[in-house]
Amino acid sequence: MSKLLIVGTVAFDVIETPFGKTDVILGGAATYIALAASQFKLDAAIVSVVGDDFPQEYLDLLRNKGVDLSALEIIEGGKTFFWKGKYHNDLNSRDTLATELNVLADFDPKVPEDYKNADVVMLGNLHPSVQMSVIEQMHKKPKLIVLDTMNFWMDNALDELLNVIKHIDVITINDEEARQLTGEYSLVKAAAKIHTMGPKYVVIKKGEHGALLFKDDNVFFAPALPLEDVFDPTGAGDTFAGGFVGYLAQTGNISFNNLKNAIIHGSNLASFCVERFGTERMENLEKKEIDKRLYQFTQLTHFNIELE
């Protein structure tokens, strides 16, 4: 069975949207990635850190999904990373009301011995120096290294970020971040410039407008499924990444055509994530629901046309 190594935050969130407000709930990039990847047949482990205030019920949830937590460090007397945010009416923009790094401030990742030969590594949104440390701990180069990052690191750790980008195979960023990273407004030009930085594949996420996959001159567009109810977009990008890498780890096929399938699987799972607050929808997702919605994706873009 393929091995997937997930690096990222395991956190507490407080979320407010036009549809309501939560108390402190489970969050973090690695959490969403792992919950999505658990839908596939693979061995997955999280490398992250929490404080001893992190509830046993959350640990049990992840373990019950088959996630290896041997590299989830629990700091005695420490406080878990915390984020609080408020979304605007269109749900495409948000204000960060609080960010408390807590134990994440001094995080030194330790890759478990059993996963130093992982087939796929998913570098979730963290400081680039942490991401690079994980790459350096691998016994051999994985079949695929996928990086997710954000504009915060472009503003505050650009040199370290560019160094990590040299060592990866796939980068997943949103359209705003692609433009900031490259200085190009055209996403086609932005993807071409990112290719020169190192990645073979560039995935540009456009939220409710789908995602683009680039490899040299090849381009694929995956739509987002139109939904009646969107309650909370928190974690949707990480859920997308988890479905994307989970499918690739399960199939072991990293061709351009199979990456197209992976993007659809990622988009499909992300469409569930936004239907409830936090991780609630992903915690109880059933395969029959996933398959039904995958069929909807096939119908969304299927057409017949005759060319003379």
Side-chain angles (χ1 to χ4, degrees):
M1 193 176 290
S2 294
K3 290 182 179 178
L4 169 64
L5 182 68
I6 301 164
V7 187
T9 53
V10 176
F12 292 141
D13 287 345
V14 170
I15 301 163
E16 184 176 351
T17 79
F19 305 103
K21 184 177 180 180
T22 72
D23 293 322
V24 176
I25 59 173
L26 176 62
T31 304
Y32 284 100
I33 293 167
L35 289 174
S38 71
Q39 297 295 334
F40 301 91
K41 295 178 181 177
L42 48 83
D43 291 328
I46 285 178
V47 176
S48 192
V49 62
V50 294
D52 62 5
D53 57 346
F54 196 73
Q56 184 64 42
E57 66 182 282
Y58 292 162
L59 298 172
D60 292 342
L61 167 67
L62 292 166
R63 286 197 181 99
N64 290 339
K65 293 291 184 181
V67 181
D68 186 326
L69 298 182
S70 60
L72 177 62
E73 188 177 359
I74 301 175
I75 304 296
E76 186 175 347
K79 294 179 65 177
T80 300
F81 175 69
F82 172 77
W83 178 82
K84 181 178 181 179
K86 180 178 181 179
Y87 288 88
H88 298 181
N89 286 335
D90 64 357
L91 295 179
N92 288 321
S93 55
R94 71 186 184 191
D95 297 323
T96 293
L97 304 179
T99 301
E100 298 173 11
L101 292 178
N102 297 327
V103 294
L104 196 63
D106 301 312
F107 179 41
D108 182 18
K110 299 290 190 302
V111 176
E113 200 65 33
D114 288 347
Y115 283 83
K116 288 184 177 180
N117 63 345
D119 303 283
V120 178
V121 174
M122 178 68 224
L123 301 172
N125 179 34
L126 272 177
H127 195 290
S129 64
V130 174
Q131 296 172 326
M132 195 66 223
S133 172
V134 170
I135 293 174
E136 291 170 344
Q137 291 178 57
M138 304 304 291
H139 284 324
K140 61 178 183 178
K141 190 178 188 308
K143 290 181 181 177
L144 197 72
I145 302 177
V146 182
L147 169 76
D148 189 51
T149 191
M150 65 181 299
N151 47 14
F152 179 84
W153 305 119
M154 297 172 199
D155 293 333
N156 297 285
L158 181 59
D159 289 343
E160 294 99 319
L161 176 60
L162 291 174
N163 183 48
V164 176
I165 290 174
K166 292 178 185 176
H167 295 82
I168 64 167
D169 303 294
V170 184
I171 186 170
T172 67
I173 53 177
N174 67 33
D175 46 359
E176 176 191 351
E177 293 157 353
R179 291 181 173 116
Q180 178 175 342
L181 183 61
T182 63
E184 297 285 355
Y185 182 80
S186 161
L187 295 180
V188 175
K189 290 182 178 179
K193 187 171 283 190
I194 293 170
H195 279 314
T196 68
M197 299 176 184
K200 300 181 186 71
Y201 300 97
V202 177
V203 177
I204 299 180
K205 300 173 288 186
K206 293 172 60 63
E208 64 179 321
H209 303 298
L212 290 157
L213 168 67
F214 296 88
K215 183 183 187 297
D216 302 324
D217 294 330
N218 298 305
V219 184
F220 173 70
F221 171 70
L225 194 70
L227 299 170
E228 289 186 13
D229 298 309
V230 176
F231 279 88
D232 174 22
T234 308
D238 296 312
T239 301
F240 169 88
F244 178 78
V245 296
Y247 177 78
L248 291 173
Q250 176 182 280
T251 60
N253 179 348
I254 55 173
S255 66
F256 182 77
N257 281 336
N258 203 48
L259 263 74
K260 294 180 185 179
N261 295 333
I263 281 194
I264 296 297
H265 279 276
S267 298
N268 188 43
L269 289 172
S271 74
F272 289 103
C273 178
V274 301
E275 291 181 334
R276 297 288 186 276
F277 281 105
T279 61
E280 181 183 348
R281 189 69 172 92
M282 301 305 296
E283 292 175 20
N284 303 300
L285 192 56
E286 296 182 359
K287 188 177 185 303
K288 62 183 180 181
E289 297 177 282
I290 297 171
D291 291 345
K292 181 179 179 181
R293 194 163 286 184
L294 275 174
Y295 177 76
Q296 290 179 265
F297 265 94
T298 66
Q299 298 304 299
L300 194 62
T301 55
H302 180 76
F303 61 90
N304 292 311
I305 191 169
E306 293 183 7
L307 297 176
E308 296 181 358

